[in-house]
Amino acid sequence: MKFTCSQNNFLEAVLTVQKAVSARSSTPLLEGILLETQKDVLKLVGTNLDLGIETYIEADIREEGSVVIPSRLLSEIIRKLPDAEIEVTLLGNYSVKIVCLNSLVTLQGFAPDEYPSLPDISESEPIEISKMLLAKMIRETIFAVATDESRPVLTGSLLEVEDGEVTMVSLDGYRLALQKGRIESSAGHRKVIIPGKSLGEIGRIIDGSDDNISITISDRHVLFDLGYTRIISRVLEGEFINYRQIIPEDYRTRVKVDTKILTSSIERASLIAREGKNNLIKLNLQDQKMTITANSESGQVYEEIPVLLEGKDLEIAFNARYFMDMLKAIPDQEICMDLTTNVSPCVIRPIKGSDYTYLLLPVRIFG
Amino acid sequence: MNSNERLILHIDVNSAFLSFEAVYRLQHGETVDLRDIPSAVAGSQATRHGIILAKSIPAKKYGIKTGEPTWEARQKCPQLVTVPPNYALYMFCHNSLKELLKNFSDRIQVFSVDEFFLDVTGMPGADQPLELAHIIRKRIKKKLGFTVSIGISSNKLLAKMGSELKKPDAVSTLFPPEIPGKMWPLPVEDLYMVGRATSLKLRKMGIGTIGSLANCDLELLKYKFKSWGKLLWDYANGIESSAVSSSSRDTVKGIGNSTTVHFDVEDRRTAHQVLLSLVETVGMRMRFSGLCCRVIAISIRRAEDLTFYSHQLKIQTPIDSTTAIYEYCKRLFDEAWGGEPIRHLGVRVSDLSPAVHIQLSMFEKEWEKQKVIDRAVDQIRMKFGPGSVIRSNFLWSGLAPMEGGLSDDASYPVMTSIL
């Protein structure tokens, strides 16, 4: 194997596939990146068996071949090389020679024969979605993915497609985040639970351009095809929680509030709240205003915000961090909060439309 | 007294468990006061845990010691009256005493089930500390029916040492100038934190009294006992400066209960029932302490080789309901048990938090109704005794409906170097 390519392209490709490579794995082979020549392109593959990424770059192929190179070392070396042409040659015994201007590095690699091949997914018709929309949906729901493993399906997000509408939902038992968007293709009703870790990496890889990405779902895997890069993730088996049941339609108190003002008030309150054990803020809704209070051994905060209040007065408490996670995901200038009692969920919706729904369970206060 | 000196009281209930039981019995029509006859709180011999947990002063005269087997105590005193432990009652008395003490200061530290520190600096009556302590002592005796010993000083260590000076129903001062006269003549074992091992080492060094420890070369103690030496020397000299801390977080880390079953348990149902009887007591203790738990653990000791294993889980929403904890214990047991005969079972709850703020969850069952039932049952048991309400599945089971040992209770540290 022998090829040349630009340092820039090579680095970008290595960093992309490296996102699927575990720093520590049961076998050194999985800590490496597979390089494989194909006619006039170079293919790079990284995988941890849950997530696999392959990408193609232009290269001048002089001799065919393939090899696995330790990922971390390779990326660090390529990053430090000057922005010039790189020549890579496979020597005997799977060692690789890398030459760039006045630098020469040889790295010990591994035989590629046993490197796992990524699963082939072509069963169903792909779903086309704009990269910008997908990135936004991931960004604005991923915080609610469960981190503890007690309910494995909740460590992933549900992606559901129906009648040209795509929905992404994450929930961890305390809160729920839901994002909706329109897509062109109408590929019938599909759903899949994608591990949060994979989604995080996918979100980092796709750029914010308006191009489409195509998603293909099979029983065990989901493929995100960006053209030059393919990301394949294992899916979580089992039924997702019936989230529609959790979101109440009714409310007794509705509040319209400026997102920025609310965010900065809660940010200030949480400075004090986080000193306490429960990270607790109390909201009091009354007389067209919302007061936010927090106290801990370190001090007290009192914040007052004008709101549009419909319905009954209410006093309710929340975990400040959970509330902030939600607010950070909302780009709108104004939001609508629907509440019923101080022990039932608070639902946050846009003023117009239904692009998102956030739900947060309160903290019950005894005595 | 120097103006910036503190005024600390240590309140210690005399023969606590026995006194609580005696008062309870007197209030419920009993004519004999357990405190006036040789009597003891002891586990049941028939069920393999017969040891003396507390004794009356007449029983003490027969040489009966806490911790010795009941049969041994009976040999010393055949007419010894024994009563079973009743943790619910102790917690009730504990809480009543705490409420009473709160009238004198809000700076109160629960030190154990029968010991409290009270910082009365600057409080009404603090200029006449002896009189104030007598008022407290008399009020406890009149309102709650049991007697206490109170120590008065300027720090917690000396107050605690002071309450030991005269018992029962007494008040003693132990201010720093009184140390050489009142504390130094005492045997070194009487010093707080000097246990059997330390006492042995000190005696070997020729140190027999607190005074000789106080006047010993500090460097020598540091050499022999490392950092411990400095603490011993400080204590012997009455030096200690920690605050009376009301934070319950520092004291209660977990609540545990375990029992040796009087036969080997070989089936799941019986094991579940034993767990329930343990949880009944754990749940009650949690509710009396106003705490909820997030971690639940069970432990199993095999009958065959007495080896031991345990299994635990963490839940999202803190709970204090007996039924809720029992549900989790059953699950833990079923997951962990290998099917072998069981000698001993234990339940322990930890990651405790005050039951005031609870993050609600979509999945955790709401135990609200259960809470009401628990409260009603607790109150009935408090009033009419622990046997007044039992779960029907204990009928004809041969098992105790509530297991309540004190042996592995970690809710309040009995011995600690942190005052």
Side-chain angles (χ1 to χ4, degrees):
Chain A
M1 183 183 77
K2 186 171 187 172
F3 65 86
T4 59
C5 64
S6 85
Q7 182 265 353
N8 236 321
N9 286 353
F10 197 28
L11 178 62
E12 198 185 327
V14 167
L15 292 178
T16 298
V17 300
Q18 191 177 37
K19 292 190 166 66
V21 180
S22 310
R24 231 169 264 143
S25 172
S26 50
T27 140
L29 207 57
L30 287 180
E31 290 168 26
I33 289 174
L34 173 73
L35 304 183
E36 192 180 293
T37 60
Q38 286 187 351
K39 283 180 212 152
D40 51 358
V41 289
L42 176 73
K43 178 169 101 169
L44 295 90
V45 184
T47 181
N48 61 15
L49 303 179
D50 282 341
L51 179 70
I53 302 173
E54 60 176 39
T55 192
Y56 295 84
I57 55 168
E58 275 178 35
D60 184 4
I61 311 292
R62 311 266 168 81
E63 271 172 51
E64 297 282 319
S66 63
V67 67
V68 175
I69 306 180
S71 168
R72 196 178 48 81
L73 204 51
L74 179 67
S75 67
E76 278 173 16
I77 286 165
I78 305 298
R79 191 199 304 271
K80 295 275 189 285
L81 288 176
D83 182 8
E85 195 177 68
I86 293 180
E87 185 190 70
V88 179
T89 316
L90 179 61
L91 309 172
N93 202 22
Y94 300 105
S95 73
V96 174
K97 183 175 81 175
I98 300 169
V99 180
C100 180
L101 297 181
N102 300 326
S103 310
L104 185 157
V105 181
T106 58
L107 281 178
Q108 186 56 51
F110 304 100
D113 318 326
E114 285 179 24
Y115 194 83
S117 52
L118 298 188
D120 212 16
I121 295 160
S122 50
E123 286 149 57
S124 63
E125 193 192 325
I127 302 155
E128 299 283 329
I129 179 170
S130 95
K131 284 185 192 166
M132 206 157 49
L133 177 60
L134 182 67
K136 174 181 181 300
M137 291 178 88
I138 294 174
R139 198 171 54 238
E140 295 174 3
T141 57
I142 199 161
F143 65 87
V145 170
T147 45
D148 77 277
E149 303 272 334
S150 57
R151 282 164 198 267
V153 286
L154 297 186
T155 61
S157 295
L158 175 73
L159 181 71
E160 208 172 14
V161 181
E162 196 167 17
D163 301 331
E165 189 176 70
V166 58
T167 310
M168 190 175 273
V169 188
S170 307
L171 69 97
D172 67 357
Y174 304 129
R175 63 248 173 99
L176 172 152
L178 179 151
Q179 284 278 333
K180 269 186 191 164
R182 302 293 305 175
I183 51 165
E184 304 257 315
S185 65
S186 51
H189 184 210
R190 293 288 177 70
K191 55 181 177 181
V192 61
I193 308 167
I194 306 162
K197 277 186 194 137
S198 301
L199 269 188
E201 299 302 349
I202 292 161
R204 275 185 276 273
I205 290 167
I206 48 181
D207 55 58
S209 73
D210 220 359
D211 306 342
N212 271 0
I213 178 169
S214 77
I215 304 172
T216 311
I217 299 166
S218 79
D219 286 348
R220 322 220 12 202
H221 295 93
V222 55
L223 161 70
F224 294 82
D225 197 339
L226 291 97
Y228 52 93
T229 299
R230 286 153 51 89
I231 308 164
I232 296 166
S233 169
R234 184 178 59 84
V235 302
L236 293 175
E237 285 171 46
E239 271 296 306
F240 201 72
I241 307 297
N242 183 354
Y243 65 88
R244 291 185 181 86
Q245 251 180 7
I246 296 169
I247 306 169
E249 290 299 324
D250 302 337
Y251 58 87
R252 274 193 233 156
T253 307
R254 170 165 278 191
V255 181
K256 282 180 189 155
V257 57
D258 184 290
T259 322
K260 245 194 199 150
I261 295 175
L262 180 61
T263 307
S264 25
S265 283
I266 293 183
E267 263 175 345
R268 284 188 291 268
S270 57
L271 293 178
I272 295 294
R274 72 180 181 203
E275 299 288 316
K277 201 184 176 189
N278 296 290
N279 201 9
L280 193 80
I281 50 165
K282 284 185 200 167
L283 274 52
N284 195 353
L285 300 161
Q286 208 181 347
D287 302 335
Q288 301 303 315
K289 65 183 190 215
M290 177 194 290
T291 60
I292 299 167
T293 53
N295 56 66
S296 64
E297 283 166 12
S298 318
Q300 285 130 33
V301 189
Y302 176 91
E303 294 275 338
E304 204 173 283
I305 307 172
V307 295
L308 268 174
L309 178 67
E310 265 174 56
K312 295 183 75 170
D313 296 349
L314 185 70
E315 194 174 21
I316 188 165
F318 293 103
N319 178 320
R321 189 172 65 80
Y322 290 167
F323 215 107
M324 282 308 301
D325 284 348
M326 266 187 332
L327 291 177
K328 276 186 204 153
I330 299 173
D332 291 0
Q333 212 197 326
E334 225 185 348
I335 49 163
C336 192
M337 291 169 58
D338 290 346
L339 304 121
T340 310
T341 67
N342 61 4
V343 290
S344 51
C346 164
V347 181
I348 294 184
R349 297 191 169 95
I351 298 286
K352 270 193 207 132
S354 58
D355 281 355
Y356 57 81
T357 306
Y358 292 104
L359 177 149
L360 175 58
L361 282 168
V363 173
R364 179 199 278 275
I365 299 180
F366 290 99
Chain B
M1 206 191 346
N2 191 324
S3 63
N4 53 22
E5 241 174 37
R6 296 179 302 157
L7 187 63
I8 313 283
L9 306 185
H10 177 254
I11 296 104
D12 187 4
V13 181
N14 305 126
S15 322
F17 297 160
L18 198 96
S19 294
F20 295 155
E21 187 68 41
V23 169
Y24 176 80
R25 289 183 179 225
L26 289 172
Q27 281 168 356
H28 287 76
E30 184 91 48
T31 48
V32 181
D33 190 334
L34 287 173
R35 288 170 290 189
D36 298 337
I37 57 166
S39 65
V41 177
S44 152
Q45 229 171 319
T47 55
R48 306 198 270 200
H49 21 69
I51 61 158
I52 303 290
L53 297 167
K55 61 198 180 291
S56 68
I57 290 166
K60 196 176 182 178
K61 289 188 181 133
Y62 284 90
I64 292 168
K65 292 192 187 87
T66 302
E68 77 177 321
T70 313
W71 62 266
E72 222 173 274
R74 273 196 205 293
Q75 282 183 340
K76 293 179 186 167
C77 172
Q79 72 273 33
L80 181 74
V81 175
T82 61
V83 293
N86 179 353
Y87 203 88
L89 173 69
Y90 308 156
M91 279 319 288
F92 181 74
C93 294
H94 168 90
N95 286 339
S96 309
L97 177 54
K98 189 174 166 188
E99 285 309 308
L100 189 150
L101 292 174
K102 275 185 184 165
N103 294 323
F104 296 92
S105 172
D106 57 346
R107 282 158 292 169
I108 181 168
Q109 180 179 350
V110 174
F111 193 57
S112 77
V113 70
D114 60 347
E115 284 177 82
F116 295 85
F117 286 108
L118 203 61
D119 185 340
V120 292
T121 316
M123 297 305 283
D127 49 336
Q128 300 284 345
L130 246 150
E131 241 162 76
L132 177 66
H134 277 296
I135 292 171
I136 296 174
R137 176 185 66 79
K138 283 181 199 156
R139 192 177 297 181
I140 294 169
K141 196 174 175 184
K142 191 172 164 219
K143 291 229 166 167
L144 304 176
F146 48 80
T147 62
V148 295
S149 296
I150 300 181
I152 309 172
S153 189
S154 53
N155 69 41
K156 279 155 66 180
L157 174 89
L158 289 174
K160 182 164 167 57
M161 293 302 295
S163 71
E164 295 287 326
L165 293 175
K166 206 172 157 205
K167 284 177 170 186
D169 202 14
V171 173
S172 316
T173 59
L174 183 56
F175 287 108
E178 301 175 282
I179 293 174
K182 287 186 174 177
M183 190 167 86
W184 282 359
L186 298 174
V188 73
E189 290 76 17
D190 285 2
L191 183 65
Y192 180 63
M193 288 315 292
V194 175
R196 201 182 303 168
T198 308
S199 122
L200 219 68
K201 280 189 198 163
L202 288 171
R203 293 257 169 203
K204 264 193 192 153
M205 292 165 69
I207 297 172
T209 64
I210 299 179
S212 56
L213 175 61
N215 293 302
C216 172
D217 182 10
L218 177 58
E219 290 310 312
L220 178 68
L221 285 171
K222 277 188 184 166
Y223 173 74
K224 289 261 183 192
F225 295 92
K226 306 285 179 310
S227 60
W228 183 245
K230 166 84 170 125
L231 183 93
L232 286 173
W233 188 84
D234 280 351
Y235 280 8
N237 282 288
I239 301 166
E240 197 275 330
S241 63
S242 71
V244 170
S245 115
S246 58
S247 162
S248 60
R249 221 176 14 223
D250 298 340
T251 46
V252 188
K253 290 219 161 60
I255 296 176
N257 192 9
S258 70
T259 187
T260 299
V261 191
H262 57 92
F263 55 90
D264 290 344
V265 176
E266 290 176 341
D267 70 288
R268 186 172 152 262
R269 263 189 61 114
T270 310
H272 283 182
Q273 261 191 303
V274 174
L275 289 172
L276 177 59
S277 69
L278 292 168
V279 174
E280 284 268 20
T281 314
V282 168
M284 201 158 176
R285 286 190 212 171
M286 282 172 74
R287 294 189 291 275
F288 278 129
S289 326
L291 295 167
C292 283
C293 70
R294 281 191 68 198
V295 172
I296 298 161
I298 59 129
S299 59
I300 299 169
R301 193 178 290 281
R302 295 186 183 92
E304 196 164 289
D305 50 5
L306 299 180
T307 52
F308 163 94
Y309 59 101
S310 64
H311 192 39
Q312 68 172 49
L313 98 154
K314 186 166 186 161
I315 53 171
Q316 284 199 321
T317 307
I319 51 170
D320 67 357
S321 152
T322 298
T323 307
I325 299 166
Y326 173 53
E327 289 298 319
Y328 287 112
C329 286
K330 277 200 288 190
R331 197 170 104 196
L332 287 169
F333 177 82
D334 292 347
E335 283 171 11
W337 189 41
E340 66 284 348
I342 301 164
R343 167 69 53 94
H344 187 99
L345 280 163
V347 170
R348 187 178 163 76
V349 296
S350 52
D351 196 354
L352 302 176
S353 54
V356 283
H357 300 145
I358 291 181
Q359 167 70 52
L360 299 174
S361 153
M362 297 168 194
F363 307 123
E364 222 79 56
K365 235 160 103 182
E366 263 282 14
W367 297 99
E368 273 323 287
K369 273 192 187 157
Q370 200 54 48
K371 256 191 142 67
V372 180
I373 297 172
D374 283 332
R375 202 175 308 130
V377 170
D378 288 350
Q379 279 165 5
I380 294 169
R381 283 179 177 158
M382 194 57 67
K383 201 160 178 186
F384 302 105
S388 53
V389 188
I390 65 162
R391 296 193 182 228
S392 57
N393 58 335
F394 284 107
L395 283 172
W396 308 294
S397 68
L399 293 167
M402 280 184 87
E403 280 292 352
L406 292 160
S407 48
D408 65 343
D409 178 47
S411 57
Y412 297 108
V414 176
M415 275 298 271
T416 168
S417 59
I418 308 151
L419 269 171

